[in-house]
Amino acid sequence: MLKNWFNIFIYQIKNNKLFTALNVLGLSLGMAGVGFAILYWNDEHSYDAWNPEKDKVFLSITSVGNNIKWASNVAGFEPYFKKDFPELEEYCYFENWYEKEVLKTLNRKTIANVSAVQDNFFSFFPFDFIEGNAKNAVADESSIAISESTAKALFGEGEALNQEVSYKKKKYVVRGVYRIPGKSSMAPDVVMNDMQKRLKTDLTEWGNFNYGLLLKVKKPSDTASVIKKMEHILFENRDLKWAKAEGITLAEWHKKGGRPTKIELQPLTDARLNSDVEGYPGGKGNLQFLRIMMGISILILILSTVNYINLATANAIKRAKEVGLRKILGASKANIVCQFLLETALTAIIALLIGLVIVELSLPYYNDFLGKTLKIHTQEFYLQLLMILAVIVVFAGIFPALYVANFETVKVLKGNFSRSKNGIWLRNGMLVFQFAIASFFMVGSYIVYQQIDYFSSKDLGFNGDQIVQVEYRNTYDYEEKDFIQKTTNRYSFIKQALSKIEGVKSVSAGSFSFGKTVSASSSFDYNNKVTVQSKNMLIDFGMLDMINIKIKEGRDISAAFSADTATSILLNETAIRMMNEKNPIGKKVTWNNKELEIIGVVKDFHINGPQEDIPPMTFFHYKTSDWMILNAESIYLKIEPEKMESALAEIEAFWVKNVEGDFPFTYDFVDKNFSRSYQNYVYQRNLFSLLNLVVIIISLFGLFALASYSIQRRMKEIAIRKTLGAETKTLLKELSKQYIIFCIIGFVMALFPVYFLLDKWLENFAYRIDISAIPFVIGFAALVILTLIVVLSRAYQATRMDVLKYLKYE
């Protein structure tokens, strides 16, 4: 019996090549889409899944009001943790970013991501140790632990334990080599105990939120008690003391803008996909984009399945007599259902194999798009695909199988089945559903295009064209005597040397990088009534003019005024609005316990990216507070365009020789660097456009096949109409009008979902378009045109047929 079914399946393929190709290609595209989404989903949900402590580890997040949250905390909690928190098993301060540095042995070196932690870090992230052990790996300040890959880079296949390495001109002993079991929020190349001595210097600084803080609770239910105690400690050491220091009541302090500091404890399990802040060096994922990817992929798979059902039920007309004969020969309904389910299973398996080939060939491009290294050769992935295959076989196979099994034997053997209405409602309903999905993608992709085009062409408030931004690794040793002055002298030397290079018109520095979040933030007080939390924008003379950032009123800082390196400050328009001051020039604010005079107002410009709000900013020369030079992270150069190539080559030679020989010289143009801040959204637009094309192709497959079978079923009717004198245009109108009606119904079905979901997507942007009628008009017009092209092409062929062929037996 099975052999007979296989033979029939092969026969059907040979005699219905187009039908089979459309079916297989549609399903394979749907399966490939879901395959990509599953790989992405699995990867994002695998973070920290290996960690046995994940349910007990929490990250302390500080909220200071105005929706400002920091994944960092104060050092002052440490004495309290030791005596007042029985709910905690332990705590660990750590740097929640990596410091990229060079590690050296006598004859080898490597660039590594270094994490500074307290000595119990491996209790929170229990990596597998292949040399040494977690307990002693960073037991003292002279010990470090390194990853397996770093050990191989430094020591080859030899033993790394107890070997000596150099880091920042100091010697350390390797006390452990670890392997990270899986995806981790913390995955450093080097772990060192460099935190305790830094905490001691900040124990009384309740305004310095400089440290990541991990807490391990005995019971997750104890987090509410821990939060309450931490907030009370902050209240006593910040709110009360600061209000008292200003000689005002707590109520008055709150009225002028002082806000109580709140604490959130975020479980490690939420760090990747359910976090408002990037609390770990591994960064956080994009849950919304992940859901969009998965939802769209499932939608395309459903569309492919519906397309298969449509094609299969339509094709059943041609197999009606086959089914009738099988029933006459004794085949039961169950037997026929099983036969057609087997055919669906074989088709789906072929489609799955082709889908896997598509995934394998496209995976490098997909990895580039996501910035990942996904691989399909995992047991979990194949099991998930097999489950999806089973679901497709059941749902895609059961409808056509039952439809065919319920054919009336006598009717189909008499040849009257083609006039039957059975199954038409199902095919038409699914065709309407296909039109609805196609409408969703057509309109949605146009709205996404409009939004990306809107903020990619938006006035940014600066002009970074031909301005070179050099990554400045502003290294210093805070334990070294006069380290601030030495850091200042180092920058001055670099600036003078670069200014002498032919073609370089000006050199400046900043504590910010266009397209990235400004990390340094402080509050300033105005008139003892308003407190504004702003971004600290360290600049050198000529910086704003170089980037073509405008001064709205007042003036820029200038070397001609000695006060501009001591008591002057610039504020942007956003900060002035928050101060509610109409005439700010000459007014004074208190920043970092210094009284500074406002000499100018900077016009608002985008720094993080055009999709985000412009934050309040304070601008001052790096000498205004001596420690600010430590935050310089970029050096900006304006270079004559015709001398750009030679100047950059000379700059690189100087940099490698005098600034940083161990690191590659890294630069970019400001405008290109900034454009990367919204590159992910450009990728989303391109992805949506690609998926839109896939959806249209699959929908057209279904429409083409269904129109072909529908028109084929009406060939005798067409022949009679032609005999009675019907014109071609009348026949075309009659054959196509039902599909236009289906098109309109499907489009109307998609209106609310596309408006609602795209409006939700647009909420991600501080600067967004309003959804207009244009995408809907264009989407509907495109859908109607494509429908008419497919249907009329098939209908026109039908009107060219030989009438005698269909009427000679009547």
Side-chain angles (χ1 to χ4, degrees), residues 491-512:
Y491 165 66
S492 297
F493 163 71
I494 293 171
K495 179 180 179 179
Q496 290 176 9
L498 294 178
S499 299
K500 294 176 182 177
I501 293 175
E502 185 178 2
V504 175
K505 298 174 68 175
S506 58
V507 180
S508 193
S511 60
F512 48 88

Side-chain angles (χ1 to χ4, degrees), residues 43-59 61 124-125 183-186 214-215 217 220 223 265-277 280 283-285 287 290-291:
D43 184 80
E44 288 295 310
H45 282 84
S46 67
Y47 275 81
D48 303 306
W50 60 271
N51 193 332
E53 305 295 321
K54 61 182 179 294
D55 295 320
K56 298 164 65 177
V57 172
F58 291 80
L59 177 71
I61 296 175
F124 291 80
F125 287 88
K183 295 282 185 176
S184 178
S185 295
M186 289 285 293
L214 294 171
L215 303 175
V217 297
T223 54
L265 293 185
Q266 179 191 86
L268 182 58
T269 50
D270 288 346
R272 183 68 183 176
L273 293 173
N274 295 289
S275 177
D276 295 329
V277 296
Y280 298 92
K284 66 187 186 76
L287 180 60
L290 179 62
R291 287 173 173 170

Side-chain angles (χ1 to χ4, degrees), residues 246-438:
E246 293 183 30
I248 58 178
T249 65
L250 188 62
E252 290 172 329
W253 185 74
H254 285 156
K255 188 176 181 180
K256 64 171 277 191
R259 293 178 176 83
T261 306
K262 300 295 183 182
I263 295 292
E264 296 178 17
L265 293 185
Q266 179 191 86
L268 182 58
T269 50
D270 288 346
R272 183 68 183 176
L273 293 173
N274 295 289
S275 177
D276 295 329
V277 296
E278 289 195 10
Y280 298 92
K284 66 187 186 76
N286 189 332
L287 180 60
Q288 185 193 58
F289 182 58
L290 179 62
R291 287 173 173 170
I292 289 173
M293 281 280 293
M294 183 58 73
I296 287 176
S297 299
I298 291 174
L299 199 61
I300 292 177
L301 183 62
I302 292 173
L303 179 64
S304 302
T305 305
V306 167
N307 189 62
Y308 177 88
I309 295 171
N310 246 345
L311 291 169
T313 53
N315 189 52
I317 295 172
K318 296 176 66 175
R319 301 183 64 179
K321 288 187 177 181
E322 172 199 330
V323 174
L325 286 173
R326 293 183 68 83
K327 284 188 173 183
I328 290 294
L329 296 174
S332 63
K333 284 187 178 181
N335 185 273
I336 293 171
V337 168
C338 288
Q339 176 193 347
F340 277 81
L341 281 176
L342 176 64
E343 291 183 8
T344 300
L346 293 173
T347 303
I349 290 171
I350 295 171
L352 177 61
L353 294 175
I354 295 175
L356 284 173
V357 171
I358 294 173
V359 172
E360 181 71 41
L361 294 177
S362 306
L363 197 56
Y365 306 100
Y366 189 63
N367 280 330
D368 288 342
F369 166 60
L370 293 176
K372 289 185 173 291
T373 55
L374 304 178
K375 298 178 181 178
I376 68 172
H377 305 295
T378 62
Q379 183 178 0
E380 180 185 28
F381 175 69
Y382 287 119
L383 288 175
Q384 288 165 329
L385 282 185
L386 288 176
M387 291 174 61
I388 291 172
L389 177 67
V391 171
I392 290 174
V393 170
V394 172
F395 283 95
I398 199 69
F399 287 112
L402 289 174
Y403 174 55
V404 170
N406 285 309
F407 284 171
E408 295 180 27
T409 306
V410 175
K411 181 181 287 188
V412 297
L413 290 178
K414 283 183 177 181
N416 295 322
F417 181 78
S418 63
R419 299 187 182 94
S420 172
K421 301 291 184 181
N422 291 335
I424 293 178
W425 66 270
L426 177 63
R427 294 197 301 277
N428 291 345
M430 291 187 175
L431 183 60
V432 168
F433 182 68
Q434 285 181 316
F435 278 128
I437 295 177

Side-chain angles (χ1 to χ4, degrees), residues 747-768:
F747 184 80
V748 171
M749 286 174 58
L751 286 179
F752 175 75
V754 72
Y755 182 88
F756 176 78
L757 293 175
L758 267 295
D759 191 61
K760 282 287 185 184
W761 180 76
L762 288 170
E763 289 177 2
N764 289 315
F765 305 95
Y767 303 90
R768 51 162 286 181

Side-chain angles (χ1 to χ4, degrees), residues 677-722:
S677 67
Y678 56 88
Q679 189 63 44
N680 283 337
Y681 292 105
V682 176
Y683 286 151
Q684 289 185 33
R685 178 198 66 189
N686 296 341
L687 176 66
F688 212 99
S689 299
L690 176 62
L691 294 178
N692 180 37
L693 180 63
V694 171
V695 166
I696 291 173
I697 291 172
I698 294 174
S699 299
L700 292 181
F701 284 171
L703 180 61
F704 176 83
L706 197 57
S708 299
Y709 285 121
S710 176
I711 292 170
Q712 185 66 33
R713 188 171 57 84
R714 298 177 64 181
M715 289 303 289
K716 193 171 290 185
E717 172 194 339
I718 295 170
I720 295 172
R721 284 176 177 270
K722 286 195 67 175

Side-chain angles (χ1 to χ4, degrees), residues 25 112 143 159 187 205 217 226 236 253 273 338 365 387 392 441 481 520 580 638 657 665 698 703 759 791:
L25 184 57
S143 301
E159 189 175 276
E205 299 296 328
V217 297
V226 172
E236 288 187 328
W253 185 74
L273 293 173
C338 288
Y365 306 100
M387 291 174 61
I392 290 174
F441 276 89
K481 184 180 179 181
N580 197 27
K638 190 169 186 176
K657 181 179 179 181
F665 173 69
I698 294 174
L703 180 61
D759 191 61
V791 174

